[in-house]
C-alpha cells in the first residue's frame, strides 16, 4: 500500500460478540502496515468474541468504550461485519451516535458486509452510493441509498464492500481514504472502483 497513516488513530467498532474475524483482522493489519494505530472500540469492556461464519474464533481485547470516545479522537472508523455484530451494535445509542459523528465531521468510514446496517441506523445513507452483503440491498434502498453490486464503492470518504472476498480492495481503499483525511459530501459525485 502506498498511502501512509503516519500514526493516525483508527477506531474499529465492534459488538461484544458476532464480528466476522477476517473482516476485523485484515483491515486492522492494513491500518498497522500503513503506520496507523488501530483501536478496538466496543459497547462493553472485556474480550470480544469473533467468529468465522458461525463458529467461534479468537477473542480480542477492547481498547476503549464507545461512550468514552468520539469521532474527534480518530482519523477514521472501520465497521467490520458479521451478521450479529451490527445487529447488536445498532441497539446501542452511544454506538449509533459514534458512527453518526464521523459523518457529521466528514471523516472517512469503511463498512463491509453486514456493517452497513449501522449506517442505516445512524441515518447516513440517504443519497449515498454504496454496496454491502447482497441481503442488505433492500434495507439500504429503503433507507434512501443507491445500492450497487460492486467489489468496493467509495462515496465522499465512505468505503463499502460486499464480503470477505473483497477484503484486498476494501483494505486498500480504506487506508487511502483515511490518509486523505476529511471528505466533504460531494453532490452526486462518487468514485467507483471494482
Amino acid at each position: 500500500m502506498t498511502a501512509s497513516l503516519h500514526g493516525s488513530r483508527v477506531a474499529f467498532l465492534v459488538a461484544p460478540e458476532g464480528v466476522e474475524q477476517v473482516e476485523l483482522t485484515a483491515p486492522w493489519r492494513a491500518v498497522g502496515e500503513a503506520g496507523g494505530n488501530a483501536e478496538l472500540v466496543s459497547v462493553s469492556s472485556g474480550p470480544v468474541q469473533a467468529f468465522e461464519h458461525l463458529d467461534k474464533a479468537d477473542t480480542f481485547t477492547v481498547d476503549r468504550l464507545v461512550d468514552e470516545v468520539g469521532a474527534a479522537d480518530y482519523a477514521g472508523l472501520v465497521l467490520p461485519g458479521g451478521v450479529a455484530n451490527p445487529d447488536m451494535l445498532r441497539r446501542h445509542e452511544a454506538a449509533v451516535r459514534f458512527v453518526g459523528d464521523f459523518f457529521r465531521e466528514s471523516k472517512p468510514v469503511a463498512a463491509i458486509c453486514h456493517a452497513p446496517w449501522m449506517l442505516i441506523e445512524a441515518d447516513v445513507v440517504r443519497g449515498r452510493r454504496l454496496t454491502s452483503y447482497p441481503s442488505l440491498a433492500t434495507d439500504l434502498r429503503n433507507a434512501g441509498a443507491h445500492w450497487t453490486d460492486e467489489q468496493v464503492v467509495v462515496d465522499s470518504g465512505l468505503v463499502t464492500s460486499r464480503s470477505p472476498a473483497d477484503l484486498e480492495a476494501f483494505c486498500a481503499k480504506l487506508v487511502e481514504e483515511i490518509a486523505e483525511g476529511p471528505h466533504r459530501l460531494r453532490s452526486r459525485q462518487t468514485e467507483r472502483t471494482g
Side-chain angles (χ1 to χ4, degrees):
M1 292 181 202
T2 57
S4 175
L5 297 181
H6 304 295
S8 298
R9 292 171 66 197
V10 178
F12 283 68
L13 178 62
V14 297
E17 65 178 48
V19 65
E20 185 69 27
Q21 181 158 313
V22 71
E23 294 175 8
L24 169 63
T25 58
W28 187 282
R29 186 171 45 255
V31 166
E33 288 173 357
N37 297 316
E39 290 189 3
L40 195 61
V41 179
S42 190
V43 296
S44 62
S45 59
V48 166
Q49 177 64 62
F51 282 76
E52 290 178 356
H53 303 293
L54 300 176
D55 298 321
K56 285 186 177 182
D58 297 326
T59 59
F60 298 87
T61 303
V62 171
D63 295 310
R64 304 290 300 270
L65 296 178
V66 72
D67 56 1
E68 299 173 345
V69 293
D73 299 318
Y74 298 100
L77 172 65
V78 178
L79 299 171
V83 178
N85 180 52
D87 193 46
M88 288 180 171
L89 285 175
R90 64 186 178 162
R91 292 180 275 160
H92 291 272
E93 186 178 320
V96 174
R97 184 173 46 250
F98 184 65
V99 172
D101 285 347
F102 278 85
F103 287 87
R104 284 184 278 283
E105 294 187 20
S106 302
K107 290 190 173 181
V109 174
I112 188 168
C113 201
H114 288 78
W117 265 336
M118 277 300 287
L119 305 179
I120 293 170
E121 198 66 31
D123 194 23
V124 295
V125 300
R126 187 168 312 284
R128 285 185 177 267
R129 189 171 173 282
L130 55 103
T131 193
S132 68
Y133 195 74
S135 64
L136 275 64
T138 299
D139 294 345
L140 286 160
R141 287 182 181 122
N142 287 342
H146 303 289
W147 188 88
T148 184
D149 185 13
E150 295 180 41
Q151 183 181 42
V152 62
V153 176
V154 181
D155 184 335
S156 300
L158 173 61
V159 179
T160 53
S161 284
R162 302 168 298 192
S163 73
D166 302 328
L167 274 166
E168 185 176 347
F170 178 73
C171 291
K173 276 308 206 182
L174 76 85
V175 167
E176 178 183 321
E177 294 301 302
I178 293 170
E180 289 176 5
H183 292 67
R184 300 290 174 217
L185 185 61
R186 293 171 283 202
S187 175
R188 295 188 176 262
Q189 203 173 12
T190 59
E191 178 181 344
R192 299 168 85 175
T193 306

